[in-house]
Amino acid sequence: MLGKLIKYEFKGTARLYLPFFALLILLTVVNRLSLQFGLGNSEFLEIPAVISMMLYIVAVVAVFVIAMVATIQRFYKNFMTDEGYLMFTLPVSQDGLILSKLIVATIWNIFSVLIAMVSLFFLLIDGDIWSAMIEVLWRLPSLAAANGINLFSICAVILLAMLTSLVAGILQIYASIVIGCMSSRHKLILGLGVYLGFNVVMQTASLVMLPFITNWFTAITEQGGSPTPVQVADFFQGTMLYGIGFSLVFGAVFYVITRLMLKKKLNLE
């Protein structure tokens, strides 16, 4: 049943994302051709080139805005409005309902970031820079190995930290929505207030842990002056692992809040 929910969710969200992705790709190609052939230097094409670049910037911003709006809109519409009565009668648990939204929202957010990054690289980087980047990436594994650094481990930790942070952020939105909908009035204001309150709690927790991280790095540097590349890599991985643990803990809290609130009688519209 979870697979069917995910398939349905992809179909429901594709019509929100794909037009903006297509528009961004089109504007990327147009502006790349404009920059490559210097169309903006022409007196007759200068204004269209400027407008095209402005539209491109708007499209990049819109991709991220749509990702945020779709994450909120799909969860709220399906669970907090009249559709919620139908969704909660499906032969699936609250876990399945939440996970279907979470998985699809995570995938779309990742894809939004990737398509924006690829677009910017394609637009701004010329052949010489591409060659230099490829050369650096080719030499990086051997350079890391020569210094005793496990490059694969570092990349895996970075990707995992980004993924857990994204998932925790989406679950924070879900928890804020369900708490906000406990009120019969001012749901949006309450939900926004809860979201900001969660941010305050997380920032406070980060500040509490910050001295432990700084003391750890200080202890490393005091052992022998300048830290070695391996020590820096270990400290970086340790910091990333702390971030992963931080995201997992708060993500679990947000998930439990969302699950418990969905079991209660919410004020559905």
Side-chain angles (χ1 to χ4, degrees):
M1 189 63 183
L2 178 60
K4 293 182 179 179
L5 286 174
I6 292 174
K7 182 179 178 180
Y8 171 80
E9 186 66 14
F10 268 120
K11 288 182 178 180
T13 52
R15 58 177 176 265
L16 297 174
Y17 286 96
L18 295 183
F20 285 92
F21 290 163
L23 177 62
L24 179 59
I25 293 172
L26 175 62
L27 290 172
T28 301
V29 173
V30 171
N31 282 282
R32 178 63 185 179
L33 293 175
S34 176
L35 293 174
Q36 184 171 353
F37 295 104
L39 300 181
N41 298 327
S42 173
E43 181 179 354
F44 298 101
L45 297 177
E46 181 178 0
I47 295 179
V50 172
I51 294 175
S52 178
M53 182 58 70
M54 292 177 62
L55 290 175
Y56 171 80
I57 296 173
V58 172
V60 172
V61 175
V63 166
F64 294 103
V65 173
I66 289 299
M68 174 66 71
V69 171
T71 300
I72 297 172
Q73 187 260 352
R74 292 294 299 181
F75 186 88
Y76 179 82
K77 182 180 179 181
N78 290 158
F79 294 155
M80 303 297 132
T81 64
D82 289 341
E83 291 187 15
Y85 294 107
L86 175 61
M87 294 294 293
F88 294 133
T89 60
L90 295 175
V92 61
S93 64
Q94 281 84 7
D95 293 318
L97 293 173
I98 297 171
L99 288 175
S100 65
K101 300 294 181 186
L102 178 62
I103 292 171
V104 175
T106 300
I107 293 174
W108 279 124
N109 275 271
I110 292 174
F111 194 72
S112 298
V113 172
L114 290 177
I115 195 172
M117 290 177 59
V118 171
S119 171
L120 288 171
F121 273 107
F122 180 77
L123 180 66
L124 301 177
I125 297 180
D126 57 23
D128 294 336
I129 298 179
W130 272 116
S131 299
M133 288 181 60
I134 293 174
E135 183 177 357
V136 170
L137 292 175
W138 183 261
R139 293 182 178 180
L140 191 59
S142 58
L143 180 63
N147 288 276
I149 298 175
N150 189 332
L151 187 61
F152 176 80
S153 175
I154 292 178
C155 293
V157 169
I158 292 174
L159 292 176
L160 186 57
M162 294 172 63
L163 178 61
T164 54
S165 177
L166 173 60
V167 171
I170 295 173
L171 288 171
Q172 180 184 353
I173 294 174
Y174 291 171
S176 302
I177 292 174
V178 295
I179 294 177
C181 288
M182 293 293 291
S183 173
S184 58
R185 296 182 179 180
H186 311 298
K187 296 180 180 181
L188 178 61
I189 296 176
L190 178 58
L192 180 59
V194 171
Y195 183 84
L196 296 176
F198 285 151
N199 281 335
V200 171
V201 173
M202 289 189 293
Q203 290 175 5
T204 302
S206 297
L207 291 176
V208 170
M209 294 300 299
L210 184 60
F212 296 97
I213 298 176
T214 54
N215 290 338
W216 179 26
F217 185 72
T218 301
I220 292 176
T221 57
E222 288 178 351
Q223 290 178 0
S226 300
T228 65
V230 174
Q231 289 175 327
V232 174
D234 289 342
F235 174 76
F236 178 77
Q237 288 190 76
T239 304
M240 290 293 101
L241 289 173
Y242 158 74
I244 292 171
F246 185 88
S247 298
L248 289 175
V249 170
F250 278 96
V253 171
F254 296 142
Y255 183 89
V256 170
I257 291 174
T258 303
R259 192 178 188 277
L260 291 177
M261 291 295 104
L262 287 180
K263 281 188 173 183
K264 295 181 178 292
K265 183 180 178 181
L266 300 177
N267 293 307
L268 303 181
E269 294 183 353

